[in-house]
Amino acid sequence: GAGRGAGREDPAKTLRSAIATAVEAFANSALDQEGSATFQEVLAAFRLHFPLLASDDRLEPALFGRLLAQSYFDKYREPLSRNTSARVPRAQQEYLRLRVKSAGPVDATQLNEAKVTLRRAMKMEGVGVLVKRTPGGEFAVATLLPGSPGAANGNILPGDVILAVGGEEVAGMTPQELAAKVLGPRGSFVSLTLRRHALESEDGSLERVLSVRLKRSDAAVAPDSLADVQSVARAADKRPVG
């Protein structure tokens, strides 16, 4: 009848809006006019911040170019121009007066808000595990969100080191890439391989390697069968040499 479907959210429209918000946040936070960069360099930098859009089927380069030009104009009130005199493919032509900032000066506030918006538009959810870098460059569990899948059964503890997500080793990943691996559709499962230091033994320090399988959900969950755990204990040889 009349009004059928009125007020129903259009997922495609919501996603397009979230992508536009992501490009705008990137332009406002990570770009300035103090130099030059090619389209390929700018797109690669964007995808480092938004790995959920890292493939062409998630974000066509042509669409990114249009959104970038609009965001640039909105910010600087002048059109984004390229050095067309160079005899190279268009994607390799340098933008004039456009530079990707180094990591230091980037204001992450707007970027993080855009990431949350994009994640919701793509209906991606996590497991409530917040991480930090260790002095050795590994990802360690810093906090578990109360009521989250990661906290529900007590199988993950602060200080656990994440070795792999879904069987893929995380060494060399950026924090954004790690987050993109953990995120997925609500109700789907993701496995985390963790290393945990255990008690000292006669032969040295023991460490446990755990494989935890969690159901993704941003909503609070009950501590039931949302997690399966397998673990092995192995000796970490820390005995003095000699």
Side-chain angles (χ1 to χ4, degrees), residues 215-227:
K215 183 184 289 186
R216 296 177 172 107
S217 175
D218 285 346
V221 296
D224 51 21
S225 59
L226 283 175

Side-chain angles (χ1 to χ4, degrees), residues 37-102:
T38 67
F39 175 82
Q40 291 174 329
E41 290 168 343
V42 177
L43 178 57
F46 174 81
R47 286 174 166 170
L48 282 177
H49 286 287
F50 293 93
L52 290 176
L53 298 174
S55 60
D56 286 357
D57 60 337
R58 290 279 178 85
L59 175 60
E60 295 178 359
L63 174 58
F64 174 75
R66 292 195 297 272
L67 293 172
L68 177 66
Q70 183 61 54
S71 295
Y72 184 92
F73 183 82
D74 291 343
K75 183 177 181 180
Y76 296 112
R77 311 312 300 176
E78 63 182 65
L80 180 59
S81 59
R82 301 180 194 237
N83 177 11
T84 56
S85 63
R87 294 184 177 276
V88 295
R90 182 172 172 80
Q92 296 174 24
Q93 292 173 350
E94 287 193 333
Y95 286 119
L96 304 176
R97 293 171 58 74
L98 179 68
R99 181 191 68 162
V100 180
K101 293 181 183 178
S102 60

Side-chain angles (χ1 to χ4, degrees), residues 13 15-16 23 25 38 43 51 54 61 94 109 121 126 138 157 161 173 179 194-195 199 206 219 226 234-236 239:
K13 184 177 180 180
L15 179 56
R16 286 195 299 271
V23 176
T38 67
L43 178 57
E94 287 193 333
T109 303
E138 295 179 304
L157 300 177
V161 173
M173 288 187 186
L194 308 168
R195 186 181 72 238
L199 298 175
L206 278 178
L226 283 175
R234 67 184 186 191
R239 289 171 292 183

